[in-house]
Amino acid sequence: MLKRILFFLVFFLNSYLTYADTNSSSQDMSRQLQSLKSQLNKLEIRLASSENFSNTSTSTEAKTNKPIITPKNKKKSSTQIIASTENVSSPVNYIPRYGWYSTDISLLLVGGASAGLSKPSGNSGSFNILDFNPILLFSYKDLLFLRSSVDFSLDDHGNTSVSLDYSNLNLFLNDYAVFAVGKFDSSIGYFTQNLSPAWINRMPDAPVGFDADQAAPQAEVGIHLQGAFPVLSDKRINYILFMANGNQALVNTTTSLIDHIGSDGYTNNYGNYMYGGRLGFLPIPKLEIGISASRGKIALFNLADGTTLLQNSRVYSAFGADFSYKLDDWDLRAEYIQQLISSETGSIVPQGQKWKAWYGQIAYWIPRTNWEPVLRYGKFTAPVASNDQRQWAFGLDYWFAPSVVIQASYELNKGQENSSTDDNQFLIQLAFGF
């Protein structure tokens, strides 16, 4: 019935517009009526589409002998409507079967950025702290979680360096276990995987020995099983178990020493794997004691070019222990970590070699202010003597907001004489976490 009324309205408007066009004084009215005619035409198309949809639904209902929408299945009605409109020829009301709104996918962009200056003693220094680290988080219902982090930075020549910090898919098995595959921050130790972002770390840089190519592993590519569970009613244990590709050791063929262990996460393992994990125990709230270890094999490469394979596999192990305690306005942390390559007769590097580091840190938030002074001591020892270093670091943070901070520190370093590890250093940076 409504369609017939619309038909007569459109017919009447056509007749009126024909008359109005012959009268110059009625041009404004003509334009308005023309617009109304267009809207009525569109409405007619929508009604025709709705009628087709109604006929399809009625046919479906007759075949199944079930109503499309009832009080008991209202939540499913949108899915049923999508299915019913697949065969509608008019595109006006066509809804695709799959769409972003109906897949239960959530997206969140987080990350951090930092910029600042470093000035070694006896040097004019430079604004060489510049880092942007966006992190994309995707989730599908309560089943799957994707984390992906990309790092943008500048090198000494002003060229942009881009790296994939980590990217992993996490499948929630139950309330106590998550299975994951991809690239991860290293599970050995605590600092790298939990404290390294600029706006979380209380200092502008990492403790000595915990930076890339030092004592602390940085990343791994493989699979994880991780989670947490309560014990003894009010205590908790968290865990990570992993299997990953082996790391790579870079050998100085002149000195027959391994310069460092590369642990950036490699997709070619040359047949080598690592196995390990971390166990954290929280006997009381805000106190965590952790222990971590791994064992496996790694490949040896020539330091000169980084690509020439010298030895296919070598026994490797790592160990870490960490402690953290938050007491009112005090934040106390300590950590020990090491990597070891075992001795092997007949190898290009027959002797065993070890990299180890530790640090202790105290931070105190001055009550009713935004100031937080920090004190840190650390020590790093390596097979190459010029890499050895001890450090006292004195820091002062001012927090504009919970994730916006300006950090300054002065580091007293003791290393091999006339090496960069023996230079004291002043650093200042602005860091933002979002």
Side-chain angles (χ1 to χ4, degrees):
M1 182 63 183
L2 183 57
K3 281 191 64 179
R4 292 179 181 177
I5 293 173
L6 285 172
F7 173 80
F8 286 116
L9 279 173
V10 172
F11 178 81
F12 170 78
L13 286 170
N14 274 324
S15 301
Y16 186 88
L17 287 173
T18 302
Y19 167 77
D21 286 340
T22 64
N23 190 341
S24 59
S25 63
S26 304
Q27 289 181 358
D28 291 339
M29 179 66 74
S30 175
R31 282 193 293 268
Q32 295 176 13
L33 291 172
Q34 188 70 45
S35 175
L36 181 58
K37 175 187 175 184
S38 176
Q39 294 179 27
L40 287 171
N41 282 332
K42 290 180 180 179
L43 180 58
E44 184 179 18
I45 293 173
R46 289 179 180 272
L47 286 171
S49 177
S50 298
E51 187 176 50
N52 289 339
F53 168 71
S54 177
N55 292 337
T56 305
S57 300
T58 304
S59 175
T60 302
E61 181 177 347
K63 289 180 182 179
T64 60
N65 205 19
K66 293 181 181 180
I68 295 299
I69 302 175
T70 66
K72 292 184 179 180
N73 64 3
K74 284 184 178 179
K75 291 184 178 179
K76 297 181 181 179
S77 62
S78 61
T79 304
Q80 292 167 336
I81 289 173
I82 290 171
S84 300
T85 56
E86 283 186 323
N87 296 322
V88 177
S89 58
S90 172
V92 178
N93 275 342
Y94 180 77
I95 303 174
R97 185 175 181 83
Y98 299 105
W100 183 268
Y101 73 95
S102 63
T103 56
D104 295 307
I105 293 178
S106 300
L107 165 64
L108 181 64
L109 173 65
V110 297
S114 60
L117 172 146
S118 68
K119 183 187 180 304
S121 58
N123 191 305
S124 59
S126 66
F127 291 95
N128 56 2
I129 302 174
L130 186 59
D131 188 75
F132 174 51
N133 179 220
I135 303 171
L136 290 173
L137 306 175
F138 290 86
S139 68
Y140 176 76
K141 296 184 178 180
D142 295 326
L143 177 64
L144 189 69
F145 183 58
L146 165 66
R147 301 187 310 151
S148 189
S149 170
V150 180
D151 184 79
F152 297 86
S153 59
L154 291 179
D155 62 19
D156 292 342
H157 303 288
N159 300 314
T160 301
S161 173
V162 182
S163 61
L164 183 65
D165 280 354
Y166 58 77
S167 184
N168 47 75
L169 287 164
N170 301 264
L171 189 64
F172 295 92
L173 303 180
N174 52 50
D175 291 341
Y176 309 105
V178 179
F179 174 79
V181 59
K183 181 179 181 181
F184 308 84
D185 285 335
S186 177
S187 307
I188 306 301
Y190 190 84
F191 179 86
T192 299
Q193 61 176 313
N194 295 300
L195 303 177
S196 56
W199 65 278
I200 295 178
N201 185 12
R202 291 300 191 261
M203 288 285 195
D205 61 351
V208 291
F210 285 78
D211 217 335
D213 302 333
Q214 295 185 329
Q218 300 296 301
E220 58 212 18
V221 176
I223 57 174
H224 273 201
L225 182 66
Q226 62 187 83
F229 53 88
V231 292
L232 301 176
S233 71
D234 60 343
K235 299 169 178 56
R236 288 193 301 123
I237 287 178
N238 57 66
Y239 67 91
I240 300 176
L241 301 174
F242 74 89
M243 173 184 175
N245 292 333
N247 290 326
Q248 298 179 5
L250 283 300
V251 179
N252 186 329
T253 55
T254 303
T255 61
S256 295
L257 291 175
I258 298 176
D259 184 83
H260 65 273
I261 296 175
S263 56
D264 295 329
Y266 303 100
T267 54
N268 189 342
N269 64 2
Y270 297 89
N272 302 319
Y273 290 98
M274 300 185 301
Y275 308 86
R278 179 183 180 274
L279 188 68
F281 178 55
L282 288 80
I284 60 174
K286 301 181 180 180
L287 169 64
E288 181 172 0
I289 302 169
I291 187 169
S292 52
S294 68
R295 188 174 178 84
K297 293 186 176 182
I298 65 176
L300 273 59
F301 288 82
N302 191 337
L303 176 65
D305 57 22
T307 58
T308 302
L309 182 65
L310 301 177
Q311 187 174 347
N312 196 59
S313 64
R314 187 74 174 267
V315 176
Y316 162 90
S317 62
F319 172 80
D322 57 86
F323 162 90
S324 62
Y325 184 41
K326 179 71 174 176
L327 177 63
D328 298 327
D329 296 316
W330 293 90
D331 187 271
L332 312 175
R333 300 187 179 278
E335 186 170 350
Y336 171 86
I337 203 159
Q338 74 169 37
Q339 294 184 94
L340 172 68
I341 293 180
S342 301
S343 60
E344 184 175 310
T345 304
S347 169
I348 189 171
V349 186
Q351 69 272 28
Q353 298 187 10
K354 180 187 293 186
W355 295 257
K356 61 181 180 180
W358 70 272
Y359 78 91
Q361 177 179 292
I362 301 174
Y364 176 67
W365 192 295
I366 301 174
R368 295 180 295 279
T369 74
N370 295 339
W371 296 97
E372 184 180 28
V374 186
L375 174 65
R376 185 180 72 196
Y377 177 78
K379 185 178 180 180
F380 170 50
T381 58
V384 180
S386 60
N387 292 333
D388 291 354
Q389 188 176 22
R390 288 178 292 163
Q391 180 188 92
W392 280 100
F394 305 88
L396 184 62
D397 300 345
Y398 183 84
W399 294 88
F400 296 94
S403 61
V404 180
V405 60
I406 186 167
Q407 302 173 317
S409 70
Y410 187 75
E411 300 173 347
L412 297 174
N413 294 308
K414 182 64 176 177
Q416 189 178 72
E417 192 174 353
N418 298 322
S419 70
S420 60
T421 57
D422 196 47
D423 294 334
N424 298 333
Q425 184 172 220
F426 170 76
L427 302 100
I428 185 169
Q429 74 173 9
L430 177 65
F432 171 44
F434 56 87

